């Protein structure tokens, strides 16, 4: 399979994802609605009592909104898109039709990943733009983030959601069931990860939790908020190894399952 065919397959997969309006709409709702609520509520609180409540925007608002986008609702949107990309063809009953075209099964799987990432990053990018607008619109004279913090925040949001999305593609392809993959991954993200991160008896093995490795690259202090659980310190090399391990494992399993699945 040459680069032209690969690009065509990726484009076709992206178009299929974009046309699944239910997934796209709910992914946008998850990425945008919590940020809108966050800024509206914070702005109302600040206007009613400026002394007791900080401004909705500014550096503080950007930091809090980035946590909401990059570590909570953004990954949920990424899971929705990734599971749809990984198991959508099987759920729609068109996998057999794709196989009989003679194209490589591994190629069919591989094209899903960049397509899912492209749609995921478009959704998350929209969330980041909304975050920046709210940061400056509701700053109320407080210091605002500089260009470096804005760019680092965007990079972190794309990293955190991109890794989760790619893992979701692999896991959904492995299970061949979007509902099952969606349930397991959301349960892992919202329940299992923070519980494991807070079990101190597990020691350094907690660094293997994906959200811990992702959080290492955050440009803002994540604290103990959101689904991430307790904050563990680790080196950049360890965090990269953990990320690479998760990606390699689930992408390999997804490719294997796609290659061996009965059409």
């Amino acid at each position: 399979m040459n680069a032209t065919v690969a690009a065509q397959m990726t484009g076709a997969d992206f178009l299929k994802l974009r046309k699944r309006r239910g997934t796209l709409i709910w992914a946008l709702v998850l990425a945008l609605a919590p940020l809108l609520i966050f800024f509206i509520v914070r702005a109302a609180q600040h206007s009613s009592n400026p002394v007791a409540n900080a401004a909705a925007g500014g550096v503080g608002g950007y930091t809090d909104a980035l946590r909401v986008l990059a570590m909570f609702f953004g990954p949920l949107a990424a899971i929705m898109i990734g599971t749809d990309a990984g198991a959508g063809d099987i759920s729609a009953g068109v996998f057999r039709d794709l196989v009989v075209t003679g194209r490589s099964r591994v190629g069919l799987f591989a094209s899903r990943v960049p397509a899912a990432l492209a749609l995921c990053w478009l959704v998350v990018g929209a969330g980041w733009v909304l975050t920046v607008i709210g940061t400056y619109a509701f700053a109320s004279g407080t210091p605002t983030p500089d260009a470096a913090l804005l760019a680092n925040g965007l990079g972190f949001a794309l990293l955190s959601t991109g890794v989760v999305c790619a893992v979701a593609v692999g896991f959904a392809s492995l299970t061949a069931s979007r509902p099952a993959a969606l349930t397991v991954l959301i349960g892992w993200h919202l329940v299992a990860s923070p519980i494991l991160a807070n079990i101190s008896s597990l020691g350094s093995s907690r660094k293997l939790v994906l959200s811990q490795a992702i959080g290492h690259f955050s440009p803002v202090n994540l604290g103990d908020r959101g689904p991430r659980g307790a904050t563990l310190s680790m080196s950049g090399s360890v965090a990269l190894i953990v990320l690479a391990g998760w990606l390699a494992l689930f992408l390999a399993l997804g490719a294997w399952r796609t290659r061996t699945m009965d059409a």
Side-chain angles (χ1 to χ4, degrees), residues 1 20 22 32 55 72 88 135 186 214-215:
M1 182 173 64
R20 289 169 186 161
L32 301 180
F72 194 78
T135 295
I186 290 178
I214 291 173

Side-chain angles (χ1 to χ4, degrees), residues 202-219:
L202 294 177
S204 59
S205 64
R206 292 178 293 170
K207 296 178 181 179
L208 297 177
V209 176
L210 180 60
S211 58
Q212 293 292 320
I214 291 173
H216 172 79
F217 298 99
S218 173

Side-chain angles (χ1 to χ4, degrees), residues 121 145 181 249:
W121 283 341
L249 174 63

Side-chain angles (χ1 to χ4, degrees), residues 126-198:
W128 180 81
V129 169
L130 180 59
T131 297
V132 174
I133 292 173
T135 295
Y136 286 92
F138 300 108
S140 300
T142 60
T144 54
D146 56 21
L149 182 56
L150 292 176
N152 289 336
L154 174 61
F156 175 61
L158 296 181
L159 171 69
S160 64
T161 55
V163 170
V164 171
C165 183
V167 168
V169 174
F171 186 70
S173 298
L174 175 65
T175 61
S177 170
R178 185 173 184 264
L182 195 61
T183 301
V184 170
L185 290 173
I186 290 178
W188 171 262
H189 178 66
L190 295 180
V191 181
S193 288
I195 290 176
L196 291 174
N198 283 295

